[in-house]
Amino acid sequence: MNAAQGEGLAVVLDAPGAARLVPHTPRPPGPGEALVRVHAAGICGSDRELYQGNRPAPYARYPVTPGHEWSGTVEGAGEGVPGGLVGRKVVGEGFRNCQVCERCHVGETTLCTAGYAETGFTEPGAMAPTLTLPARLLHPLPDEADLTAAALLEPAACVAAAALRARVRPGDRVAVVGDGTLGMLAVQLLGLGSPAELLLVGARTGRAALAAEFGATAYRHHRETEGLGGYDTVVEAAGVPGAARQAAGLLRRGGRLVLTGIPPAGEAELDPAALVWGQVRVDTVFGAPPAAWAHAVRTFARGLLNPLPLVTHRLPLSEFDKAVALVADGDPAVGKVLLHP
C-alpha cells in the first residue's frame, strides 16, 4: 500500500482491493458529536470482506475508511455534549441509528428502519488517528482500563447480545461452536451464568488451554463431535458452512440455538422440519444494541471479561495490507490483529 506524505495518515478503501494511506485531518465535532483519538483498531472477517469486495452491497460503501472495532480517548466535544467526557477512555457503538423509529424506541437499534449505516462500512471508521461520531454512541471506560484490550469490546458486545439471548441458567449444559474471537469471548461471557458444562467446539486445538482458562470445561475438534448432544443452549460463532447445522445437532429437544456467525449467502444450513419437531428456539445476532454494549463494558470494567490474551499481532496503520493478509491466511497462530495509528 502506497503511503502518502503527512503527519497523520488514514486508510482509505477506494474500491475492493484498492487501499491507500492518505493525510488525515481531524473533523471538528459538531453538535452532539465527540472527537476521539484512536488507540487501536481491530481487524475481523467483515473487514476482510470489505477489502475483498464480497460484503453485500447494502452493507458497504466505497470509498471508506474501515475500522469498526476500536478504542480511544475523547479529545473534543461538540455543543450539547457534557464537557466531562473529554479526556475519558471510551469505546463506541457502530450502528448509526436514527433514534426516532419504532425499533430504535424499543432498544433494537440494529434494526433501525431508517436504513443501514455503520462506522467503518458506510461511515468513516477508526483506521485513522481520530474518529468523529455521535457522542451518544460512546461508552466510557474506567480510567485504569487497558485500551489495547478494550479494542475487542465491539466483538464482545456482539457476543454479549448472544449471551443475553441465550439466557443461561446455573446448571445448564452449554456449547459454543467456533473458536475464533467471537467464540472465545462467548466462552467467557456464557461462563458467567454458571453452567454445569461449557463445551467449546473449534478447529484450532491449540486454543484448548486458553479456552479452559476462559471457563470452558471441555474442548472438541469440530470433526470429533459424533455422539455429543443434549445441550440446553448452543451458540454458533463460526460463520462457516456447516457450523449452524452442527450447532443445531448438539441441542436437546426444546433447546435454544443462537446464531452469531454469518455463513456465505445461500448456504443450506438448518432443516425447518427438524427445528419444528425438536421445538428448537432460534435467535440470531447481527451487531449489538445498547443493552449488549452495556453488558460487555460492565463485565470488562469489573474484570470479569479479559479479551487481551486473544491479541496476537499489533501493527502500525501503514501495514494494513499485511494485517488483512494475516487475518485471511487461516494460520491457527493468528488471533486478533490490531492496528495502531
Side-chain angles (χ1 to χ4, degrees):
M1 182 167 57
N2 294 325
Q5 295 299 314
E7 189 171 322
L9 300 171
V11 175
V12 170
L13 285 176
D14 291 308
R20 60 191 174 100
L21 287 173
V22 302
H24 174 75
T25 300
R27 181 173 71 78
E33 293 184 324
L35 172 69
V36 176
R37 175 67 56 178
V38 177
H39 171 78
I43 291 186
C44 78
S46 55
D47 294 302
R48 186 182 71 243
E49 292 173 351
L50 185 71
Y51 180 74
Q52 295 174 339
N54 51 11
R55 187 170 171 82
Y59 303 102
R61 184 181 302 145
Y62 304 93
V64 67
T65 292
H68 64 288
E69 302 179 3
W70 59 270
S71 62
T73 303
V74 177
E75 280 199 346
E79 182 183 350
V81 177
L85 194 60
V86 176
R88 294 295 303 273
K89 295 178 178 179
V90 293
V91 290
E93 300 175 31
F95 280 75
R96 305 292 186 93
N97 46 80
C98 75
Q99 291 290 290
V100 295
C101 72
E102 180 185 9
R103 292 299 91 201
C104 284
H105 279 167
V106 298
E108 296 177 346
T109 54
T110 59
L111 298 177
C112 177
T113 59
Y116 172 79
E118 185 176 3
T119 299
F121 296 111
T122 65
E123 306 293 330
M127 292 185 189
T130 69
L131 173 65
T132 302
L133 74 167
R136 60 180 170 79
L137 299 178
L138 297 178
H139 289 260
L141 303 172
D143 292 340
E144 67 276 12
D146 182 334
L147 283 177
T148 299
L152 277 71
L153 283 176
E154 192 278 340
C158 295
V159 172
L164 292 173
R165 286 169 170 76
R167 301 174 191 171
V168 172
R169 297 169 296 184
D172 278 357
R173 300 184 69 219
V174 180
V176 175
V177 174
D179 58 3
T181 298
L182 288 178
M184 297 295 285
L185 292 171
V187 168
Q188 288 199 49
L189 287 170
L190 293 168
L192 299 177
S194 300
E197 296 179 42
L198 182 50
L199 168 71
L200 178 62
V201 176
R204 296 185 269 190
T205 54
R207 287 205 156 177
L210 183 57
E213 291 180 23
F214 280 5
T217 59
Y219 180 97
R220 285 288 188 95
H221 192 274
H222 70 94
R223 295 195 183 97
E224 300 173 351
T225 59
E226 185 175 351
L228 293 179
Y231 287 86
D232 300 292
T233 298
V234 179
V235 174
E236 184 279 315
V240 297
R245 184 167 57 252
Q246 182 175 49
L250 293 171
L251 281 169
R252 65 167 172 81
R253 295 191 70 203
R256 183 183 300 278
L257 175 64
V258 184
L259 304 175
T260 66
I262 304 177
E267 283 291 326
E269 286 285 336
L270 299 176
D271 179 356
L275 296 179
V276 174
W277 290 331
Q279 297 184 53
V280 172
R281 292 163 290 175
V282 180
D283 280 288
T284 62
V285 171
F286 176 57
W293 271 95
H295 182 49
V297 169
R298 183 168 56 248
T299 54
F300 174 73
R302 294 180 180 176
L304 300 173
L305 174 67
N306 178 24
L308 191 60
L310 298 175
V311 178
T312 59
H313 294 76
R314 298 172 64 180
L315 303 172
L317 202 61
S318 59
E319 296 190 33
F320 171 77
D321 287 339
K322 178 181 178 180
V324 172
L326 281 169
V327 173
D329 69 8
D331 185 343
V334 176
K336 176 58 66 174
V337 178
L338 297 183
L339 292 173
H340 294 273

